[in-house]
Amino acid sequence: MIKIIIIDDSSTSRIILEKFLTQNFSEKCIIVAICEDAASAKKAIRVNKPDLVFLDIEMPNKNGFEMLKEIKSIKFEVIFTTSHADYAIKAIKADALDYLIKPINLKDLSNAIRRFENKKIVQESTNSNLIETKSSNNLIKKIAFSTDTGYEFIDINSILFCEANSNYCRIFCVDGREILLAKTLKNIHEQLVPTKLFHRIHKSYLVNLNYILRLNKSGSLEVELQNGIKLPVSFRQKDNFLNAFKEVAEK
């Protein structure tokens, strides 16, 4: 079970988020504490050791960013919640898992929970040494992605998949790293196209063909990666994806 703490000075926001979580994710999530300020939140975090914290940014006395700075060892993921979109870049720099705009809707919350699960699967798979490079004829090369502070250099074949998040893109790596960039998925795809290893399977997902284990056709179409993560394949992308995957498999 995912242990969750909700931190928000607005009683309405706390009630809405608690209701969404209990009614839709009770089989995988448990709310261990609900706090209305930074002081009580820090105590709840110390006592309950959560896996995931939903943290309001604008709170009286001390905001969410200030509270995080006072926690010496952060061993949980953070999803910021706020009524303003102005904090997006600051949230990225704080290494947040996600950033939800109030009023939170069920779709955005579902995507955030799935993102948490995917990150944990990647980390657990890495620890178990389950991920191996499928194709030995693709030399590992680095690619540079620009960030606010400079460049992030990544081995191309260490990228598992990329996920769109509005005007941002989240890159999941086989070593468990998760990198959030202020770029669209289209921008990232254009940089990776020359390698021919990556293919768009959905408006929200770009995958490394080396790590696809199987294509599941029961129910909605989806790919399953070698570490167990499952991603949807849109009907529009189906034929192009199958052709690209066939080309790689035949090499």
Side-chain angles (χ1 to χ4, degrees):
M1 296 286 280
I2 304 170
K3 294 194 296 182
I4 291 175
I5 290 180
I6 298 172
I7 307 169
D8 201 310
D9 67 309
S10 166
S11 60
T12 301
S13 296
R14 294 195 302 268
I15 291 170
I16 291 174
L17 183 52
E18 180 185 14
K19 185 177 179 180
F20 271 151
L21 289 169
T22 53
Q23 290 185 351
N24 299 279
F25 305 99
S26 59
E27 77 286 354
K28 63 179 68 174
C29 299
I30 179 171
I31 300 173
V32 295
I34 300 177
C35 309
E36 60 181 25
D37 56 44
S40 60
K42 287 194 295 181
K43 181 178 179 180
I45 289 171
R46 185 173 62 255
V47 171
N48 294 283
K49 297 179 174 55
D51 303 304
L52 180 60
V53 170
F54 286 87
L55 178 59
D56 183 25
I57 293 178
E58 294 185 324
M59 296 186 293
N61 300 322
K62 195 168 294 179
N63 66 38
F65 294 120
E66 292 169 336
M67 189 204 82
L68 284 181
K69 288 181 180 178
E70 294 181 353
I71 299 177
K72 294 181 179 180
S73 178
I74 298 178
K75 297 181 180 180
F76 52 85
E77 298 294 337
V78 177
I79 295 178
F80 283 112
T81 60
T82 180
S83 301
H84 307 282
D86 303 339
Y87 293 109
I89 297 298
K90 198 169 182 179
I92 292 173
K93 291 181 178 179
D95 199 26
L97 177 71
D98 211 334
Y99 177 87
L100 301 181
I101 301 295
K102 299 178 185 178
I104 296 172
N105 62 63
L106 183 57
K107 180 181 179 181
D108 288 343
L109 180 59
S110 297
N111 288 337
I113 295 294
R114 186 180 67 251
R115 187 169 293 119
F116 173 86
E117 292 177 312
N118 285 347
K119 185 171 183 178
K120 288 303 175 185
I121 290 173
V122 170
Q123 291 173 339
E124 290 170 3
S125 297
T126 302
N127 292 338
S128 301
N129 296 317
L130 294 179
I131 301 177
E132 297 179 356
T133 302
K134 182 179 176 182
S135 175
S136 61
N137 59 0
N138 290 304
L139 296 177
I140 295 202
K141 299 178 182 178
K142 289 185 180 292
I143 188 167
F145 293 114
S146 61
T147 65
D148 285 345
T149 57
Y151 289 89
E152 185 86 26
F153 292 91
I154 306 173
D155 288 338
I156 291 175
N157 204 40
S158 73
I159 299 174
L160 192 61
F161 69 95
C162 306
E163 180 182 39
N165 185 11
S166 186
N167 290 324
Y168 299 90
C169 184
R170 201 175 296 269
I171 297 176
F172 292 83
C173 299
V174 297
D175 61 2
R177 282 188 303 157
E178 186 178 324
I179 302 163
L180 187 61
L181 300 174
K183 290 180 177 292
T184 64
L185 192 60
K186 181 181 179 181
N187 295 148
I188 299 299
H189 194 189
E190 288 173 350
Q191 284 187 258
L192 294 170
V193 161
T195 67
K196 296 183 179 180
L197 286 177
F198 295 83
H199 196 81
R200 192 81 171 258
I201 61 170
H202 187 277
K203 66 178 181 180
S204 299
Y205 296 104
L206 179 69
V207 298
N208 185 334
L209 299 179
N210 274 347
Y211 294 109
I212 294 177
L213 179 64
R214 61 174 60 90
L215 178 68
N216 298 324
K217 294 184 178 180
S218 58
S220 57
L221 193 65
E222 63 182 12
V223 295
E224 182 177 342
L225 305 185
Q226 289 182 9
N227 59 1
I229 289 178
K230 296 178 181 179
L231 302 174
V233 178
S234 69
F235 179 79
R236 180 177 296 181
Q237 298 290 345
K238 175 184 174 183
D239 290 339
N240 288 336
F241 161 68
L242 290 176
N243 289 333
F245 187 66
K246 183 179 179 181
E247 288 179 12
V248 171
E250 290 176 347
K251 288 183 179 180

